[in-house]
DNA sequence: CTGTTAGCGCCTTCAC
DNA sequence: GTGAAGGCGCTAACAG
């Protein structure tokens, strides 16, 4: 078994509490003479490491934060996670990663679990079927920062993107290229980002007098298959759209695969703009025109906001919402609309 | 503050230990009469959740496993992490994710930290500058499974790939296409996978009488820039290679960008085979010929092996090493060698 | 079947 | 400056 405070104390010939003090107190707040050396020697010899669990129990502070995301396998989330973990490391916080797979039930289970673990704070991308778990966290007065999605009727800390504007600009770009019929491939319905992006899409459709039809709004999931199926369905229409607005990494890959399977050319036959954050985007079949996120910025803003809340003496700070601008890169998957 | 066992006990008019038992013991092993109901009611009313930290301290079991990888932002690792987390969830284990960035110092710090946290097991991709941290984990008798890399002189559990064979086959494929001058872009040196892949490369070079030159062995890092710079250097040679064997996701993106910047065509001017695990691989400039890993399989094999070790009564089980075969997909980045 | 007692390893009063 | 005592919330061993 690992050495304990008591062991160190015995070996150094002092009381455990003394060891505890020496090991933790700032180097010399209350100066100790040679005891100090004896203790450090003992620590060295016994290879003593304080027991984190015991300390957490006693201090009601775990130096642990939770990170709940839909899918850490998705580059968007994994790169944000990377940043958060890295900044946490610098501040001695450790992060527990949880995937909800967009399931509310999993999210609830995780939230309960993390709460009972005594995490110091939580960063999460809510699955958003309900606000149950968010409220639970709030009730427990555990610092919380939402990323990418939020509930408009709950005032929480959040780091989100300018979805409406991003989608609007993307469609406008297509309009400038002569497109009149633009499809919107949404991920799961009722998700904040989707609602907002759809809002931007709609606004542009109305403003520029594009073809408006429910048949152009397709998809209901974030996976490769979701993207593939929705696109296939679209392309099988008698008069398919000439451009696609894709709303996620995996959806994008699925859509591209469906287009290629159909033997269509991008952008000659169909243009594509995607919300995508893969490092591979610029090197696809055709370099992909994307709306991408400054992932490091999102991760670090979220982490710092959380840390502020954790370290604040106030029980709860007034919520802060940070808006991050996406980046729009016009590359080669968007081109002139085919003449009708 | 959250309710405690004592609170529940008081409210139910029983002793805390009784509550503890009722809440934990399998539904009816030793049957309790109406006390049970009183307790459950109290739990309900107080919204009681057991404190995980206290339980961990008492039971010396944290239901937590550590996962140390170089960079969770890299799809190879993030997708493995996803699997491990998911399987952990099913078994009530929670996972702490750590990025080493290939730095031994960070790895050591993390290992110490995780150990002092009392993790039940550890899955790691060692940074491999030294075996210090691996040995430390072993000393502490904490179940350990290595992924992707191992130390040949330390007998540990591990899930690795058939690197030698994979690299050999890739080069052979190039040879079949007429290539005589194949470059090897390695990631960080002294890393198990690199050594092995290089071994396969060398074997093929020797066996098929390819051009053998140190100038064809370039690169020393896993980043985009590493891939970009190494490739640029290669292409600036008076007689550049006609094919490249790339050994990582980011290296691949960097290499492709360098090739395109030079105005060269893939595969007409230069062929490319990559160890790559991005979902985007099939849809690159040219669909990428890849050696890819069954990531779910790697993650689940690793997790199950770890779980076996955690749950075993033996203090240490004999180490198991599992070899996983990569998949070779010939797509369109490899073509006939240019006539000299 | 349920209460009592003890203690996991640590930190924090409060004395001396 | 250092020791002693108590307890964070829980479980385990032993009584009854």
């Amino acid at each position: 078994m690992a050495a304990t405070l008591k062991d160190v104390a015995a070996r150094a010939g002092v009381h455990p509490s003394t060891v505890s003090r020496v090991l933790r107190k700032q180097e010399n707040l209350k100066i100790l003479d040679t005891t100090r050396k004896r203790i450090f020697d003992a620590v060295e010899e016994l290879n003593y490491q304080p027991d984190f669990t015991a300390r957490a129990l006693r201090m009601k502070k775990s130096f642990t934060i939770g990170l709940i995301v839909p899918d850490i396998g998705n580059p968007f989330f994994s790169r944000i996670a990377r940043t958060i973990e890295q900044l946490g490391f610098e501040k001695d916080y450790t992060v527990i990663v949880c995937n909800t797979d967009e399931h509310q039930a999993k999210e609830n289970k995780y939230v309960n679990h993390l709460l009972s673990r005594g995490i110091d704070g939580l960063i999460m991308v809510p699955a958003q079927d309900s606000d149950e778990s968010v409220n639970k966290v709030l009730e427990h007065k555990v610092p919380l920062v939402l990323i990418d999605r939020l509930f408009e009727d709950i005032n929480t800390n959040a780091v989100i993107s300018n979805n409406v504007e991003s989608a609007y600009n993307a469609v406008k770009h297509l309009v400038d290229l002569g497109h009149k019929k633009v499809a919107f491939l949404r991920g799961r319905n009722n998700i904040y980002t989707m609602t907002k992006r759809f809002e931007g899409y709609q606004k542009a459709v109305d403003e520029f007098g594009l073809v408006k039809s429910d048949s152009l709004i397709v998809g209901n999931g974030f996976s490769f298959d979701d993207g593939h199926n929705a696109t296939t369905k679209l392309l099988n229409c008698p008069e398919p759209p000439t451009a696609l607005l894709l709303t996620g990494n995996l959806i994008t890959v699925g859509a591209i695969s469906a287009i290629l399977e159909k033997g269509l050319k991008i952008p000659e036959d169909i243009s594509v703009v995607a919300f995508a954050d893969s490092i591979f985007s610029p090197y696809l079949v055709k370099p992909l025109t994307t709306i991408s996120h400054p992932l490091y910025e999102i991760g670090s803003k979220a982490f710092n906001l959380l840390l502020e809340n954790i370290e604040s003496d106030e029980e709860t700070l007034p919520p802060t919402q940070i808006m991050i601008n996406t980046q729009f890169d016009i590359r080669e998957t968007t081109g002139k609309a085919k003449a009708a």
Side-chain angles (χ1 to χ4, degrees), chain A residues 50 127 131 172 287 330 335:
Chain A
D131 49 20
K172 181 172 187 310
I330 298 177

Side-chain angles (χ1 to χ4, degrees), chain A residues 194-227:
Chain A
M194 291 302 129
T195 310
K196 288 296 176 189
R197 289 174 193 174
F198 184 64
E199 195 180 319
Y201 164 83
Q202 282 288 44
K203 191 178 157 216
V205 165
D206 289 340
E207 194 169 319
F208 300 113
L210 304 187
V211 176
K212 195 167 176 175
S213 158
D214 284 348
S215 66
L216 291 175
I217 322 300
V218 294
N220 187 24
F222 292 107
S223 73
F224 175 96
D225 286 341
D226 291 321

Side-chain angles (χ1 to χ4, degrees), chain A residues 36-159:
Chain A
R36 177 180 234 92
K37 182 175 164 27
R38 289 219 310 285
I39 291 177
F40 279 123
D41 287 351
V43 165
E44 188 77 7
E45 292 166 35
L46 296 177
N47 209 329
Y48 171 74
Q49 288 264 124
D51 180 316
F52 216 87
T53 310
R55 181 178 285 180
L57 175 62
R58 183 60 235 250
M59 307 210 300
K60 307 240 144 279
K61 163 108 184 154
S62 62
F63 275 97
T64 305
I65 65 178
L67 174 63
I68 300 184
V69 296
D71 174 12
I72 189 87
N74 183 317
F76 177 74
F77 300 118
S78 73
R79 287 165 63 200
I80 288 176
R82 170 71 159 96
T83 301
I84 291 171
E85 192 279 336
Q86 184 173 320
L87 298 178
F89 180 75
E90 290 168 13
K91 301 282 186 186
D92 282 324
Y93 282 86
T94 250
V95 6
I96 292 184
V97 174
C98 313
N99 298 293
T100 62
D101 230 344
E102 305 281 1
H103 289 332
Q104 182 71 28
K106 274 198 184 183
E107 180 178 295
N108 288 337
K109 192 164 166 194
Y110 271 127
V111 165
N112 284 334
H113 182 83
L114 292 175
L115 251 22
S116 100
R117 266 187 117 86
I119 50 166
D120 296 334
L122 174 63
I123 295 179
M124 91 184 230
V125 179
Q128 216 146 16
D129 280 338
S130 95
D131 49 20
E132 186 182 337
S133 46
V134 168
N135 281 324
K136 187 146 200 174
V137 177
L138 259 24
E139 274 169 30
H140 281 246
K141 304 244 192 288
V142 170
L144 170 71
V145 174
L146 261 29
I147 287 190
D148 200 45
R149 307 173 184 175
L150 53 72
F151 294 89
E152 302 198 86
D153 50 346
I154 311 183
N155 197 9
T156 51
N157 293 304
V159 177

Side-chain angles (χ1 to χ4, degrees), chain A residues 226-264:
Chain A
D226 291 321
H228 186 96
N229 297 341
T231 303
T232 302
K233 192 171 129 196
L234 232 31
L235 298 179
N236 283 338
C237 287
E239 290 187 41
T242 61
L244 265 36
L245 176 54
L246 309 172
T247 55
N249 284 310
L250 276 53
I251 292 175
T252 299
V253 185
I256 292 179
S257 78
I259 292 170
L260 299 182
E261 276 172 22
K262 269 280 180 195
L264 298 178

